[in-house]
Amino acid sequence: MNEVLLRSLTPSVLGILVRRGADFAAAEDAVQDALVEAVRVWPADPPRDPKGWLVTVAWRRFLDATRADAARRRREDLVDEEPAPGPAPAVEDTLQLYFLCAHPSLTPSSAVALTLRAVGGLTTRQIAQAYLVPEATMAQRISRAKRTVSGVRFDQPGDVATVLRVLYLVFNEGYSGDVDLAAEAIRLTRQLTAAIDHPEVAGLLALMLLHHARRAARTAPDGSLVPLAEQDRGRWDTESIAEGVEILQAALARDRLGEFQAQAAIAALHADAPTAEETDWVQIVEWYDELARLTDSPVVRLNRAVAVGEADGPRAGLAALMALDDSLPRHAAVAAYLHERDGDLATAARLYAEAAQKAPNLAERDHLTRQAARLNARRCR
Amino acid sequence: MAKYLLLKHYRGAPACVNDVPMDQWTPEEISAHMQYMHDFAARLEGTGEFVDGQALAPEGTFVRYDGEGRPPVTDGPFAETKDLIAGWMVIDVDSYERAVELAGELSAAPGAGGKPIHEWLELRPFLAAPPTITE
């Protein structure tokens, strides 16, 4: 029984049902029923055409549910009036489903949950585990989301940028349950590149592949963070890096730059460097300038200050940092790092401790606390 | 998508505006207060923002290791300075603003005279796992 195959078929089966006139929420329930049935039946009796099998079973479930519920008679009429189901363009349906699940009327957490369920084919339980909330909470979140988008017409063109943001949110959540959300986000983005021709989709896929390739080297066995400069580059996944760089180059060649392509370009320069010292920081600063033009985000300018510090020395980095609001997340951590490189260990230690207080997660807090302790121990000696 | 802890202190926070001890409320006022908390939690379950919540007994004990072969020390005859935490609720919301909004609502639970008690709640973000990409 191939769970990944089942999950990859989910969006097109769901898309076909909705295209045939099924209400989104009812179609989603029917597809989930069909998946459960497939898990039960396929091991002993594998179908020749898995997708056709799923469509048939799900459609029958949908009709059963619709007929059984007298209140849904109106919807049944709607279905009756539909032309006989012909071969639907599956790719386009899948794409519509991405748009629907990332609809702007949904909150980010609802859009993420609905995308994982309807496009990703994950169970509510798997999604709840990944986000460390009770299953009942996630079930409510998903059913509210389904109700919210139920009235949305399926043929409206959606907004690619919204879909990409949702997929990036999934990617960043990482992995905590039995589903690796980063890998799932890559799978969904890969699937999306097949359905839509857009350089930013390729840019996001490249960015995810390049980040993901370095994952194994990013934490020590005890779970502590390993900074980029100290990572064992032999543990980077060169195959993913090569694929990411290739996808990125093809996207950049189309000359429609977007923020994901620019971020991927920065990640590619890091991934390409044989050692931290040999990193092309000058070019990285140039890409941050591009990125700042595209987004004008203070976080981008903060990262740019780090790159300036590497390219032109810590004093130049500190000067770039001066222009920024010191309430920005990670501002103190960046300032600490630049002061240390500038030789001012006392200031650096104080700022590392301050940064640790503000760290958004445990691994970062521990890492920054260790940095402060390391400098304090060195100064006292 | 961040989790927050709403912590109900009875001591340690500034006094609340409608500061009448609960034992001096009418039974109806207490029922209304409880109902409000219950409805609040039920509504958050409905929005998919509820994670967990519990009430705590008012009295707790500080416990400390006291060396090899000796029983743990519990806090003794010195002045009672422990903070008192009445209960907590964990929510999972889209933004800090939403967390503040919900904490504000919970703080408006009715107290004596049926008026909101304007109780101070502490709002603390959970430290999470690091995101996939942070370098």
Side-chain angles (χ1 to χ4, degrees):
Chain A
M1 172 51 54
N2 187 340
E3 201 204 336
V4 176
L5 168 69
L6 264 188
R7 292 223 309 265
S8 69
L9 291 174
T10 302
S12 57
V13 173
L14 182 50
I16 289 169
L17 258 64
V18 176
R19 172 77 59 196
R20 285 183 184 178
D23 167 77
F24 178 72
E28 217 274 332
D29 289 341
V31 171
Q32 289 294 327
D33 282 350
L35 293 175
V36 170
E37 188 69 6
V39 170
R40 202 174 61 80
V41 172
W42 287 11
D45 184 15
R48 225 172 321 153
D49 173 11
K51 187 164 134 188
W53 189 98
L54 283 172
V55 170
T56 307
V57 172
W59 185 246
R60 208 160 34 199
R61 288 294 164 110
F62 165 70
L63 289 181
D64 286 351
T66 308
R67 287 199 195 99
D69 190 349
R72 296 191 179 177
R73 186 157 301 279
R74 195 181 50 78
R75 231 177 273 132
E76 200 177 25
D77 293 341
L78 187 78
V79 173
D80 284 343
E81 287 163 18
E82 284 286 306
V91 165
E92 193 190 316
D93 285 343
T94 303
L95 183 57
Q96 294 295 342
L97 204 57
Y98 275 91
F99 289 143
L100 189 64
C101 293
H103 197 268
S105 63
L106 296 167
T107 63
S109 55
S110 302
V112 160
L114 195 58
T115 299
L116 286 173
R117 165 88 182 231
V119 186
L122 298 185
T123 64
T124 304
R125 185 190 167 79
Q126 286 172 317
I127 305 169
Q129 268 180 3
Y131 285 92
L132 301 173
V133 299
E135 197 175 338
T137 294
M138 193 48 81
Q140 286 292 350
R141 201 177 284 178
I142 291 171
S143 61
R144 275 174 71 94
K146 282 198 275 186
R147 275 202 302 278
T148 304
V149 296
S150 242
V152 176
R153 274 178 45 222
F154 200 54
D155 53 0
Q156 285 166 340
D159 176 6
V160 181
T162 319
V163 174
L164 296 182
R165 243 189 326 268
V166 167
L167 292 175
Y168 202 39
L169 278 178
V170 173
F171 180 77
N172 279 317
E173 198 59 36
Y175 39 97
S176 45
D178 64 350
V179 177
D180 182 338
L181 287 183
E184 183 65 14
I186 289 174
R187 186 179 76 83
L188 295 180
T189 309
R190 217 187 266 285
Q191 195 171 273
L192 185 63
T193 56
I196 193 170
D197 185 29
H198 192 296
E200 271 293 85
V201 180
L204 178 61
L205 180 59
L207 178 63
M208 288 179 176
L209 287 167
L210 289 163
H211 279 321
H212 203 57
R214 304 203 297 255
R215 180 164 120 180
R218 197 174 292 132
T219 45
D222 66 359
S224 60
L225 286 185
V226 182
L228 182 58
E230 290 160 30
Q231 284 171 20
D232 173 4
R233 289 169 189 238
R235 297 184 64 205
W236 289 358
D237 176 356
T238 47
E239 213 170 292
S240 283
I241 291 174
E243 191 193 353
V245 168
E246 194 181 321
I247 292 171
L248 173 67
Q249 280 169 343
L252 288 175
R254 300 175 58 186
D255 207 21
R256 278 167 61 201
L257 188 63
E259 53 178 304
F260 287 122
Q261 292 170 75
Q263 284 189 61
I266 293 165
L269 286 167
H270 284 301
D272 259 355
T275 65
E277 293 71 39
E278 289 170 81
T279 307
D280 187 349
W281 287 105
V282 174
Q283 213 188 326
I284 288 181
V285 172
E286 286 168 10
W287 275 112
Y288 271 119
D289 288 338
E290 289 282 359
L291 197 51
R293 260 195 293 283
L294 289 165
T295 67
D296 198 35
S297 140
V299 175
V300 167
R301 275 179 283 154
L302 190 70
N303 287 329
R304 183 183 169 279
V306 179
V308 169
E310 300 292 347
D312 304 329
R315 291 285 166 87
L318 284 168
L321 199 60
M322 285 281 275
L324 298 172
D325 185 349
D326 63 8
S327 69
L328 278 171
R330 301 201 171 89
H331 187 282
V334 169
Y337 173 75
L338 291 169
H339 277 294
E340 182 186 351
R341 289 204 43 224
D342 193 36
D344 183 354
L345 300 192
T347 306
R350 180 178 58 74
L351 286 167
Y352 273 129
E354 187 187 320
Q357 294 275 320
K358 295 182 188 164
N361 62 64
L362 272 179
E364 237 176 281
R365 183 171 76 186
D366 293 349
H367 174 72
L368 292 166
T369 307
R370 274 196 203 97
Q371 297 292 326
R374 175 177 57 83
L375 293 186
N376 284 329
R378 182 143 36 117
R379 284 194 306 128
C380 294
R381 214 172 282 152
Chain B
M1 286 171 293
K3 292 193 186 63
Y4 287 89
L5 176 67
L6 301 179
L7 208 50
K8 292 166 70 72
H9 293 265
Y10 279 177
R11 270 176 238 142
C16 51
V17 175
N18 188 4
D19 191 16
V20 180
M22 217 166 177
D23 59 7
Q24 289 164 37
W25 300 4
T26 66
E28 292 73 29
E29 285 164 358
I30 293 173
S31 299
H33 181 79
M34 297 305 175
Q35 188 64 41
Y36 186 95
M37 312 296 242
H38 179 81
D39 292 347
F40 181 79
R43 193 156 49 78
L44 291 195
E45 279 175 43
T47 58
E49 291 174 309
F50 182 82
V51 177
D52 204 355
Q54 296 284 322
L56 295 174
E59 294 305 323
T61 307
F62 277 120
V63 180
R64 195 200 72 197
Y65 173 66
D66 196 37
E68 191 72 49
R70 298 160 70 99
V73 179
T74 56
D75 67 340
F78 40 79
E80 182 61 77
T81 52
K82 283 194 292 292
D83 186 15
L84 196 152
I85 296 166
W88 48 269
M89 184 184 288
V90 179
I91 55 176
D92 185 24
V93 291
D94 272 312
S95 65
Y96 172 73
E97 288 70 28
R98 175 67 177 156
V100 169
E101 182 188 334
L102 290 177
E105 271 182 50
L106 187 56
S107 161
K115 296 202 181 73
I117 50 179
H118 299 267
E119 167 184 40
W120 286 96
L121 293 172
E122 190 181 358
L123 181 65
R124 295 266 291 270
F126 273 57
L127 288 180
T132 313
I133 54 153
T134 309
E135 214 65 89

